[in-house]
Structures are given as C-alpha cells and as structure tokens.
Amino acid sequence: MKGLYDNEMKLEFACKSNNEAFARISVAAFASQLDPTIEELADIKTAVSEAVTNCIIHAYDGLEEGTVKVEAKLKDNTIYIEIADTGKGIENIEIAKKPLYTSKPNLERSGMGFTIMESFMDEVIVESIVHLGTKVTMKKSIKKEQTIQKKQEEIVEQNSEKEGEFYDI
Ligand SMILES: Nc1ncnc2c1ncn2[C@@H]1O[C@H](COP(=O)(O)OP(=O)(O)OP(=O)(O)O)[C@@H](O)[C@H]1O
Ligand SMILES: [Mg+2]
C-alpha cells in the first residue's frame, strides 16, 4: 500500500448498541501500533465510544436502522479517526457542541459527549448536513518521547531526593 498514511483501516457496521464496544475495541487495537500509554489509549477509546454512541442514539433515533462508518489512519505518531453516519444530521453544530446541551434530556443524556471528545483528543471537527448525516473527525498525537523523557526525569529526581536523605543522616 503506497499512500499518504503509514496504515489505514475501515469498518462499517449496523447502528446497534452492541457495536459500540466493537468499534471502541477495534480502533484501540489499531491505535496500539503507535505504542500509546494506557491513558492515551483510554482517551481514544472514550472519544470513539462517545462518537459512535451519538450515531446510534441520535442519528437514527435508536431505530437500529442505518450504518456507522469508522475509518482510522496512522501517520508518524498521530492517529486520525473519522466516524460517520447517514442519519438525520445536526441543525446547529455550535449549539450541539456546547457542554451540557442535549436534545434528549429525557433519555438521561448529560450533553457532554462532544466536550469529552474535545478534551481527550487534540482536535475534533464536526461536519453535518440535515437529513444527510454527520461526520466527526478526530486527531491525537501519541507523545511517546515526551512521556519517556518525563519518566526519566522523575526517576533522576527521586534518586537525587534519596541521596539527599542519605547525606542528612
Ligand atoms: N451523529 C449525530 N446525529 C445527530 N445528532 C447528533 C449526533 N451527534 C450529536 N448529535 C446532537 O448533538 C447533541 C450533543 O451531543 P453530545 O454527545 O455532546 O451529548 P448527548 O449525546 O446528548 O449526551 P451524552 O453524550 O452526554 O450522553 C445531541 O444531544 C444531539 O442532539
Ligand atoms: Mg453523546
């Protein structure tokens, strides 16, 4: 495969709530090629879960008719994820993205899905056309080197503290 990305995958599945776990676990397995930390992987899983749940609950109003498409691409240390439905679409994206906004308060939704995606991923773009569907594109860079460097610094710091304790005696 010769292309812009180092690796790519596509999934398409029925909008049934059982498939939320399928999507989340599949993307996590794919993302693990970037060697993320447990926290980074958990962030990706949570964001995918929120986006796919939105397709299942809102796009098709829980009718279990329709499909959800998930695409993931890797380039260097970054994962790009696209989650798309062909459901009812979002009339006002800006309002929909506001924390605590939900169109389904009676279903005990908290209106925090988009806020969670934005806080766990580096970038979230929402595109939608009423009656045609919605596409959420997310991006996250795996900060491998920074994490290793930070851990090394912590170890050095801990060791120097121990040495300090030793000389105090
Ligand atoms: N794929 C989608 N298709 C149609 N409408 C959507 C879609 N995703 C989100 N929305 C709309 O955007 C609103 C906000 O979504 P968000 O995920 O932030 O909150 P929520 O799903 O209502 O609650 P929570 O995610 O906390 O359970 C939804 O209530 C819904 O009206
Ligand atoms: Mg939601």
Side-chain angles (χ1 to χ4, degrees):
M1 188 176 60
K2 209 176 166 201
L4 210 62
Y5 296 96
D6 299 329
N7 201 357
E8 306 179 27
M9 70 87 147
K10 276 185 198 173
L11 296 173
E12 186 167 350
F13 50 86
C15 64
K16 292 178 189 290
S17 53
N18 285 348
N19 285 336
E20 179 277 313
F22 166 68
R24 168 169 42 93
I25 293 162
S26 305
V27 175
F30 186 72
S32 64
Q33 293 171 55
L34 294 181
D35 202 14
T37 61
I38 291 169
E39 288 83 7
E40 285 167 334
L41 205 55
D43 291 352
I44 293 169
K45 279 189 194 166
T46 306
V48 169
S49 166
E50 290 296 336
V52 171
T53 303
N54 277 354
C55 301
I56 295 167
I57 289 178
H58 301 294
Y60 306 109
D61 279 326
L63 292 177
E64 298 204 339
E65 277 168 26
T67 54
V68 180
K69 279 186 192 166
V70 175
E71 283 190 40
K73 292 171 179 152
L74 306 180
K75 178 72 185 162
D76 301 328
N77 66 332
T78 303
I79 183 162
Y80 301 84
I81 304 167
E82 247 181 55
I83 295 170
D85 63 66
T86 51
K88 67 178 184 187
I90 302 174
E91 268 177 39
N92 189 325
I93 296 173
E94 236 169 82
I95 292 178
K97 281 167 83 178
K98 284 203 169 121
L100 302 176
Y101 171 82
T102 180
S103 54
K104 290 200 178 350
N106 48 334
L107 288 185
E108 293 186 8
R109 314 306 310 178
S110 58
M112 290 303 286
F114 283 131
T115 309
I116 290 169
M117 287 178 232
E118 278 170 350
S119 66
F120 289 173
M121 301 295 278
D122 296 341
E123 195 176 283
V124 178
I125 297 167
V126 184
E127 294 163 283
S128 189
I129 300 175
V130 175
H131 303 313
L132 282 183
T134 302
K135 183 165 88 180
V136 175
T137 311
M138 305 186 278
K139 168 182 157 179
K140 188 175 181 75
S141 296
I142 300 307
K143 298 173 184 71
K144 211 163 97 189
E145 277 159 31
Q146 275 178 31
T147 312
I148 292 169
Q149 202 185 334
K150 209 172 151 213
K151 279 199 179 134
Q152 281 171 342
E153 279 167 12
E154 275 169 16
I155 292 167
V156 170
E157 212 170 287
Q158 279 166 7
N159 284 345
S160 64
E161 274 169 19
K162 272 187 199 150
E163 274 171 25
E165 280 167 23
F166 178 77
Y167 289 118
D168 279 349
I169 299 169

